[in-house]
Amino acid sequence: TIKNPLCIVANYLFDTLYHDIFQINSDGELLEGLVSTGSKNLDDKEKDPLNPDIIQRFDNRYEYRKIENIDNYYPNEEGDEIHISRVLKWYVDYYSKLNKTNDNAGASILLPIGALRAIRRLSKMSNNKLIVISGDKGNNNPDQFIGQVDPHIAIHGSFSLMVNYHAIGAYFTSQNGGFALHNFQDEASLKVSCFILTGNNNNNNNNDELLYTKCAEDLYNEKLTNRDN
């Protein structure tokens, strides 16, 4: 472990780490997404499956299965099981309520589990004291996940997915001393968020010590809004 807090800057990193796929159907049930990957090249079978050019011909097929027990879905997360299950349960509750007023549209959610695991390992090095500043393509508004659709996978020499910054923020705020700040601009190609763990283990989760940080963020977003107008 280290004595001082960590400052982590993640610039277009989280979109290339592991993501898990979930949907919430019209009945308010949480479904896990399973993907099978093949090639679109049906006439000439791929001679070399390790050829990097095959990425341009990916053919992804998705299947969704109901999750019976959310609490046991992530059983080996080194103490983070409760935080991740809280995030998933929040989505189930939120979209189940929206289904009643939104024609049972359901929702499609990417959980950036790779980013959460990386953050967890780094936070353990610093006794849960760290600040993460991340810029990436993604979303931080849960209303942007409404509708049951397969995820879009961007192909660009490698491949990447949209980062669910809302889920990362919920993961932080699930913990004592956790705090999240989001840029509320609608542009999805670059979202910037800031996440903080203070190392405060008190159950009251009082973040008064971050008041000045929150005020600075509000002023910055106000300037962005004025500039856009």
Side-chain angles (χ1 to χ4, degrees), residues 69-137:
N69 190 334
I70 297 176
D71 289 324
N72 292 334
Y73 189 78
Y74 288 102
N76 301 304
E77 295 298 326
E78 301 176 9
D80 271 355
E81 295 85 358
I82 186 172
H83 303 302
I84 298 175
S85 67
R86 282 175 182 170
V87 175
L88 294 177
K89 288 178 179 178
W90 188 94
Y91 285 125
V92 171
D93 181 65
Y94 184 78
Y95 295 111
S96 294
K97 293 176 180 176
L98 278 187
N99 279 345
K100 299 176 182 178
T101 59
N102 206 44
D103 296 327
N104 294 322
S108 303
I109 302 158
L110 286 169
L111 186 74
I113 190 66
L116 299 185
R117 288 169 176 165
I119 291 168
R120 179 180 69 227
R121 295 183 181 116
L122 291 169
S123 68
K124 287 186 175 182
M125 294 171 54
S126 57
N127 292 317
N128 282 344
K129 293 183 290 184
L130 82 166
I131 179 171
V132 180
I133 302 172
S134 177
D136 216 318
K137 60 179 186 178

Side-chain angles (χ1 to χ4, degrees), residues 152-212:
H152 171 70
I153 300 178
I155 305 297
H156 42 70
S158 179
F159 57 88
S160 60
L161 293 159
M162 300 291 281
V163 179
N164 183 349
Y165 279 118
H166 177 269
I168 299 176
Y171 166 79
F172 270 76
T173 56
S174 172
Q175 304 181 56
N176 293 326
F179 200 69
L181 302 170
H182 296 297
N183 179 339
F184 57 78
Q185 286 184 294
D186 290 333
E187 177 57 51
S189 62
L190 177 60
K191 289 288 189 181
V192 178
S193 291
C194 177
F195 309 101
I196 299 172
L197 286 177
T198 64
N200 177 12
N201 293 320
N202 296 326
N203 291 327
N204 60 11
N205 200 19
N206 187 341
N207 288 312
D208 287 344
E209 64 269 31
L210 299 176
L211 180 60
Y212 292 110

